[in-house]
């Protein structure tokens, strides 16, 4: 007689391990959900990662899955959903209960519906900053309650890091997936712009809004991305046929990376140099001509600025688009908005359509040549995720400086947590891929993580 299978406490399982056990019916969705709810009960009072939680509804969903056929790759996996996504069964506040208290959308956002179709259990809504901008919610960093978890996907990153959930959805317009993943010490993936449907997600910027998520491994976030993008290649990342060529792209903001980030960078170089096919420095492009060709060292000052101030371009585009996307809130709920958001909306409305169209034309030129210029000698880029570890205090969510360039260009990114910095807080770096090459990026990330997290 075979001895009973000994499983770790279910909430400690990463998403892929739990998914395999659920598919073989060696673990029930209800047992996993109950274990996660026990963990939530223990950690939530001090962490405050959830905007809304309905334990009874989650248990009902799990039981229904246990009683029925296998639904798909996320069958039985508890999923946190950022409070920026519409959900039919749970309230959606868009990070602003002052404006949207008790708001009940009539349907799930497309990304939520895709996850449900694949068998996910909607565990609860996770805290977002106010309309996914900078005004923080109550969530604390799971590694130190006096430090920010980052934003705007604060609750999603914290819930995964605190082992309350195996997976959670987030969004990124500037740095709202990569930054909280870095501060909380989890894997965060931002797919290529446009790969995931945004219907039913509160819009901030048509030019940059991207749906992604969080997990405890490369394979976990690849599993989630496979469902969100409908790309089955991400379900089972193969070993690379050859080591990747890795470009070291410090970006023009490198001087603002603190000593912890610089030490992590040196650690990566030492760990990967003996194994990578190439480890090369990639300088930030100096400019592009109007026909999209590289201008190298002969670029004029104006054309050089097309690339040099790309972070400022991201901020300007986002400010204009947020002011108009949030027109209802701006016109009818102005006094219920934070002072910082009020100021942003006023700044955006003061920008003319002609200025915005000029910026969009410039961005189109840059996106057209970005892959050619950035990946000429490498398959993926290594870049900083943050300026350092999570800052102390809960009044702000940290600076997305090192994420802005990749967000405005629409590149896919993944944060890899592998180090510790000041106070033992998590630290890591991000890998960046060619647009549309999410599969190649995640395979390279798996290769890097195996060597960095031994």
């Amino acid at each position: 007689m075979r001895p009973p299978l000994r499983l770790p406490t279910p909430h400690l399982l990463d998403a892929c391990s739990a998914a395999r056990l659920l598919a073989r019916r060696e673990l029930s969705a209800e047992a996993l959900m109950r274990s996660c709810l026990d963990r939530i009960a223990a950690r939530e009072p001090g962490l405050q990662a959830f905007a809304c939680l309905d334990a009874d509804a989650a248990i009902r969903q799990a039981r229904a899955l246990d009683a029925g056929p296998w639904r798909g790759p996320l069958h039985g996996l508890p999923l946190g959903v950022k409070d920026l996504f519409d959900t039919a069964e749970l309230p959606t506040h868009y990070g602003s209960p002052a404006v949207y208290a008790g708001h009940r959308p009539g349907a799930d956002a497309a990304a939520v519906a895709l996850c449900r179709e694949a068998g996910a259990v909607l565990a609860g809504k996770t805290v977002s900053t106010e309309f996914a901008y900078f005004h923080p919610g109550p969530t604390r960093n799971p590694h130190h309650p006096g430090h920010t978890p980052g934003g705007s996907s604060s609750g999603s990153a914290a819930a995964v890091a605190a082992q309350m959930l195996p997976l959670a959805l987030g969004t990124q317009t500037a740095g709202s997936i990569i930054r909280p993943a870095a501060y909380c010490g989890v894997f965060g993936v931002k797919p290529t712009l446009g790969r995931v449907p945004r219907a039913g997600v509160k819009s901030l910027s048509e030019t940059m809004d991207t749906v992604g998520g969080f997990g405890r491994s490369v394979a976990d976030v690849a599993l989630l991305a496979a469902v969100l993008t409908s790309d089955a290649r991400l379900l089972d990342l193969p070993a690379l046929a050859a080591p990747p060529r890795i470009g070291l792209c410090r970006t023009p903001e490198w001087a603002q990376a603190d000593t912890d980030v610089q030490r992590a960078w040196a650690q990566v170089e030492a760990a990967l140099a003996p194994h990578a096919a190439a480890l090369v420095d990639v300088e930030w492009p100096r400019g592009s001509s109007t026909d999209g060709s590289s201008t190298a060292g002969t670029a004029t000052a104006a054309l050089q600025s097309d690339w040099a101030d790309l972070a400022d371009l991201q901020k300007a585009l986002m400010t204009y688009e947020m002011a108009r996307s949030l027109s209802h809130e701006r016109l009818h709920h102005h006094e219920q908005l934070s002072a910082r958001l009020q100021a942003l909306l006023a700044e955006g409305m003061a920008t003319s359509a002609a200025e915005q169209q000029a910026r969009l034309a410039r961005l189109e030129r840059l996106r057209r040549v970005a892959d050619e210029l950035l990946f000429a000698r490498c398959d993926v880029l290594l870049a900083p995720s943050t300026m350092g570890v999570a800052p102390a205090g809960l009044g702000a969510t940290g600076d997305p400086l090192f994420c802005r360039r990749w967000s405005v260009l629409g590149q896919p990114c993944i944060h890899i947590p592998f180090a510790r910095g000041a106070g033992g807080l998590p630290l890591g770096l991000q890998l960046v891929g060619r647009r549309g090459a999410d599969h190649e990026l995640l395979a390279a990330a798996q290769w890097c993580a195996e060597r960095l997290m031994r």
Side-chain angles (χ1 to χ4, degrees):
M1 183 177 181
R2 293 178 62 186
L5 184 66
R6 293 185 178 180
L7 297 176
T9 305
H11 73 263
L12 298 177
L13 293 165
D14 61 60
C16 288
S17 298
R20 287 190 290 271
L21 294 170
L22 288 159
R24 297 195 298 259
R25 306 290 181 167
E26 294 173 1
L27 172 67
S28 71
E30 182 177 353
L32 176 56
M33 190 67 247
R34 287 190 181 280
S35 182
C36 288
L37 289 171
D38 288 344
R39 180 68 171 177
I40 290 168
R43 292 297 310 270
E44 176 62 7
L47 192 58
Q48 300 183 59
F50 286 91
C52 179
L53 185 68
D54 188 336
D56 291 339
I59 292 297
R60 288 195 297 271
Q61 293 176 58
R63 283 177 177 166
L65 287 166
D66 287 334
W70 185 76
R71 290 278 297 278
L74 303 183
H75 181 96
L77 292 177
L79 176 74
V81 175
K82 182 180 181 179
D83 189 31
L84 206 68
F85 293 74
D86 286 347
T87 47
E89 296 179 12
L90 291 174
T92 301
H93 305 127
Y94 310 118
S96 179
V99 176
Y100 284 98
H103 175 59
R104 292 267 184 169
D108 286 339
V112 176
L114 285 170
C115 291
R116 283 186 184 271
E117 182 183 32
V121 177
L122 177 51
K125 302 296 288 290
T126 54
V127 168
S128 168
T129 60
E130 177 194 35
F131 298 109
Y133 191 52
F134 286 121
H135 187 68
T139 308
R140 298 168 177 268
N141 191 298
H143 300 275
H144 194 303
H147 289 246
T148 178
S152 60
S153 306
S154 315
S156 286
V160 172
Q163 299 177 316
M164 300 204 277
L165 298 171
L167 296 171
L169 294 178
T171 62
Q172 179 160 315
T173 305
S176 293
I177 291 174
I178 299 300
R179 184 167 88 263
Y183 288 169
C184 293
V186 294
F187 289 82
V189 66
K190 183 192 85 69
T192 296
L193 177 69
R195 289 290 301 274
V196 183
R198 297 179 294 184
V201 181
K202 187 67 171 174
S203 176
L204 302 181
S205 166
E206 290 294 327
T207 303
M208 291 170 283
D209 289 347
T210 306
V211 173
F214 303 88
R216 300 179 199 165
S217 68
V218 175
D220 280 3
V221 294
L223 175 68
L224 183 58
V227 171
L228 294 173
T229 64
S230 300
D231 188 346
R233 294 175 300 171
L234 300 176
L235 290 173
D236 186 17
L237 295 175
L240 293 177
R245 299 175 303 157
I246 300 172
L248 304 175
C249 187
R250 292 171 174 83
T251 79
E253 290 82 26
W254 177 248
Q256 298 191 55
D258 70 12
T259 55
D260 284 333
V261 172
Q262 294 174 29
R263 278 195 294 267
W265 190 274
Q267 180 181 336
V268 169
E269 288 192 84
L272 299 185
H275 308 287
L279 204 63
V280 297
D281 286 316
V282 174
E283 292 188 10
W284 195 254
R286 295 185 62 192
S288 59
S289 65
T290 54
D291 64 2
S293 60
S294 173
T295 62
T298 62
T300 64
L303 290 174
Q304 288 177 24
S305 70
D306 269 6
W307 287 98
D309 67 344
L310 201 53
D312 291 334
L313 176 63
Q314 188 277 333
K315 286 189 281 188
L317 288 166
M318 183 179 73
T319 299
Y320 179 95
E321 292 180 344
M322 279 188 67
R324 285 150 183 86
S325 293
L326 297 178
S327 287
H328 171 77
E329 294 79 8
R330 175 175 54 81
L331 295 170
H332 300 287
H333 298 280
H334 187 265
E335 296 307 314
Q336 294 165 285
L337 305 179
S338 68
R340 190 167 187 180
L341 183 56
Q342 289 176 0
L344 177 92
L345 300 183
E347 180 183 350
M349 292 307 298
T351 304
S352 71
E355 291 174 285
Q356 182 74 353
Q357 289 304 310
R359 293 187 186 114
L360 289 171
R362 173 183 161 197
L363 177 60
E364 183 179 356
R365 294 196 304 270
L366 298 179
R367 284 180 173 175
R368 192 166 61 240
V369 299
D371 285 350
E372 177 186 350
L373 294 180
L374 292 168
F375 297 91
R377 296 186 297 145
C378 59
D379 304 308
V380 293
L381 298 172
L382 180 76
S385 293
T386 59
M387 297 162 65
V389 300
L394 302 175
T397 59
D399 195 323
L401 178 67
F402 281 110
C403 301
R404 291 187 185 276
R405 292 175 179 269
W406 311 119
S407 290
V408 76
L409 290 174
Q411 314 292 143
C413 308
I414 178 172
H415 175 77
I416 301 176
F418 62 89
R420 295 277 172 173
L425 288 164
L427 195 67
L429 299 168
Q430 63 180 316
L431 283 185
V432 181
R434 297 174 184 266
R435 280 175 300 165
D438 299 54
H439 179 67
E440 289 82 356
L441 170 66
L442 289 168
Q446 180 65 47
W447 184 93
C448 291
E450 289 171 354
R451 288 153 182 81
L452 292 173
M453 303 181 73
R454 288 173 176 168

